[in-house]
Amino acid sequence: MPRRSRLFSLSSLARAYQRNLKAFTRAARATTRPLRAKAASKLRAVPHKVAVAKAPSTARTPHPAGKPVPVRGEWISGIAPGPAGARRFHAYVPATLALQPGEKLPLLVMLHGCGQTGRDMAAVSRMNRLAARHRFVVLYPEQERMANAHGCWNWFERRSGRAEAEAATLLAAVDKVARRLPVDLARVAVAGLSAGASMAVLMAALYPDRFCAVAMHSGVAPGTAESAATALAAMHGRREAHLPDPSAVAAAVAPTDATVLPVSAPAALPPLLILHGDADGVVSMRNAAATALLWADALGARASAIRTLQRGQRYPMRVTEFKTRGRTVVALREVVGLAHAWSGGAAQLPYSDPTGPDASALVWAFVARQFGK
C-alpha cells in the first residue's frame, strides 16, 4: 500500500493537480449553497420564481471556479447511492423551458477531472450556456475525496472492481435525475475531461445501450489500466488499449448473495468523439489515436483522410473520421498546441485554454447528431 501511494503521488497527474488543489478548496468554500430541488411537476411548467444568477459582468475578472456559470436557470442537487457508495450531483435545468405535455429533454452527463468538482467543470466548460440555447439538461456528478484523495474518478481501479462499481453508481445518478426531471433516457450522452474522460468511455463501453454518444477529452482508453501503478503507464501511452469485458459489471456490482444472471450479447458501442492536445504533458496524445482505432475496429469503421481545420486565431485541429456505411462513428480531433486543458474553455481558470477550439460546442454538435438515430 505505501508503494502504491508513492507511485501515485510521484506521477505527473498528481503533481499537476496538486498545485491547484488548495485553490479549488478555497473556491469551494465561497460557493453558494445549492438550491433545494423543486418538485418535478413544478419543473415541467414555466418557472416564475426561480433563482437566477446575475448577468455576466463586463469586467475581465474571472468568476471563481466552483460557482455556477452566470446563465439563467436552476441548479438541482442530490445524492445517488450505488455499488461504490453515494455520490453527490448537481443538475442544471434551463429556465423558462415551457415544455409541451409529455415532452422530455436530452441529458448530457459531464464528468470532471482530478482536482475539480462538478461546478468547476460547469464553470470551465460553460456547457450551461449551450444547454439554455439548445434545451437540454446537464448532469454534473462529483467524486468524493474519501473515494479518491485527488478527486479523480477511479477509472483505473479495475483489478479491485472499484472502477466498474463507480461506473454503476454514476449510472444510478442518471436514473435518479431522470425520475426527478423531464429527461428522455433514450437521449443520454456522457462526456468528460481527463479522469472524467476515461470514466466516460468506460461507462459507454460497459453500458453501450444506455448512451447515444460519448466524448473523451484528454483521456485514456477504458481497459488500458487495472490499478494506480498501471494507470501511470497508460497515461504516458505505454499500455496497450483494449475494451473491458461488459460481463465484469455483474460480478463487480452484484451483491454477494445475489444470483448473477447470464449477460446477453452487448449492444454496439455508441459513437465516440475524441479531443486531445498534442502539447499535453499529463496524458499522452498516443492514447487518443489508440482509443480511436480501438473503438473504430469494434464498430467496423474505416478511417478517412486527415483534414486540418482552423477557425480564426484558435488552435488548428487535425481531424480524422472513422466511418461505417457512410456514418461517422468515431471522430478524432487532435488540437495543435493544446496542453492538458478543456479546449476553448473559460479564461483564467485551471485546466482551461480559451485559445483552443470550442470543445463544448464540438461535444454538443456531435452528440446531438446521434439523437434520433
Side-chain angles (χ1 to χ4, degrees):
M1 196 67 184
R3 173 181 173 80
R4 171 180 160 187
S5 177
R6 180 174 178 270
L7 283 169
F8 197 77
S9 63
L10 290 177
S11 71
S12 57
L13 174 66
R15 291 197 304 270
Y17 288 135
Q18 282 177 330
R19 284 195 297 267
N20 294 299
L21 186 57
K22 291 183 179 180
F24 276 121
T25 302
R26 289 194 297 268
R29 291 173 182 169
T31 304
T32 55
R33 298 187 64 179
L35 300 174
R36 292 185 178 180
K38 295 189 177 182
S41 59
K42 292 184 179 179
L43 291 173
R44 292 186 176 92
V46 180
H48 295 287
K49 296 182 179 180
V50 296
V52 179
K54 294 183 179 179
S57 173
T58 57
R60 295 189 177 182
T61 302
H63 293 274
K67 286 192 175 182
V69 179
V71 178
R72 290 176 59 87
E74 186 173 16
W75 285 95
I76 305 300
S77 300
I79 298 176
R87 293 295 184 274
R88 294 172 293 173
F89 64 82
H90 306 291
Y92 173 78
V93 185
T96 62
L97 286 174
L99 298 179
Q100 299 298 320
E103 182 184 1
K104 293 189 175 182
L105 303 174
L107 175 67
L108 177 59
V109 183
M110 294 286 287
L111 301 178
H112 62 76
C114 297
Q116 290 182 309
T117 66
R119 296 210 174 198
D120 294 328
M121 187 64 177
V124 167
S125 69
R126 298 178 293 185
M127 189 62 76
N128 294 353
R129 297 178 184 271
L130 291 176
R133 185 182 310 159
H134 298 288
R135 294 167 53 84
F136 62 93
V137 176
V138 193
L139 172 62
Y140 300 97
E142 289 196 5
Q143 177 64 296
E144 295 293 333
R145 292 305 173 110
M146 291 295 293
N148 187 289
H150 302 284
C152 310
W153 298 104
N154 292 302
W155 59 274
F156 49 85
E157 290 285 4
R158 298 185 56 248
R159 186 175 297 162
S160 64
R162 291 179 63 191
E164 289 81 359
E166 208 160 81
T169 301
L170 289 169
L171 196 64
V174 171
D175 291 333
K176 185 163 185 177
V177 168
R179 290 192 297 268
R180 294 175 58 181
L181 301 174
V183 166
D184 184 359
L185 285 176
R187 293 187 294 166
V188 179
V190 59
L193 171 65
S194 191
S198 302
M199 179 56 75
V201 288
L202 176 63
M203 292 179 67
L206 296 177
Y207 303 99
D209 57 332
R210 296 297 306 273
F211 299 99
C212 292
V214 55
M216 183 181 88
H217 195 318
S218 309
V220 180
T224 311
E226 295 82 34
S227 63
T230 56
L232 300 181
M235 290 163 54
H236 294 147
R238 297 197 299 266
R239 295 270 298 180
E240 182 179 355
H242 65 275
L243 293 172
D245 182 6
S247 63
V249 178
V253 305
T256 54
D257 58 347
T259 301
V260 178
L261 300 176
V263 178
S264 58
L269 294 172
L272 169 66
L273 169 65
I274 301 172
L275 292 145
H276 212 117
D278 68 357
D280 193 329
V282 178
V283 178
S284 169
M285 197 175 68
R286 289 192 292 268
N287 287 290
T291 307
L293 292 172
L294 179 71
W295 215 267
D297 182 65
L299 293 172
R302 301 182 65 179
S304 59
I306 300 175
R307 298 174 293 138
T308 300
L309 301 177
Q310 185 173 14
R311 182 176 181 180
Q313 298 301 312
R314 292 179 181 270
Y315 298 143
M317 294 184 296
R318 294 187 295 267
V319 179
T320 307
E321 294 183 341
F322 298 78
K323 298 184 178 182
T324 177
R325 298 179 181 178
R327 180 190 176 195
T328 299
V329 292
V330 178
L332 171 61
R333 293 176 177 263
E334 300 169 303
V335 183
V336 179
L338 178 69
H340 194 69
W342 187 265
S343 183
Q348 302 182 44
L349 291 181
Y351 314 119
S352 179
D353 188 343
T355 314
D358 190 342
S360 297
L362 293 171
V363 167
W364 174 248
F366 182 83
V367 303
R369 285 195 294 269
Q370 316 310 322
F371 295 150
K373 291 186 178 181

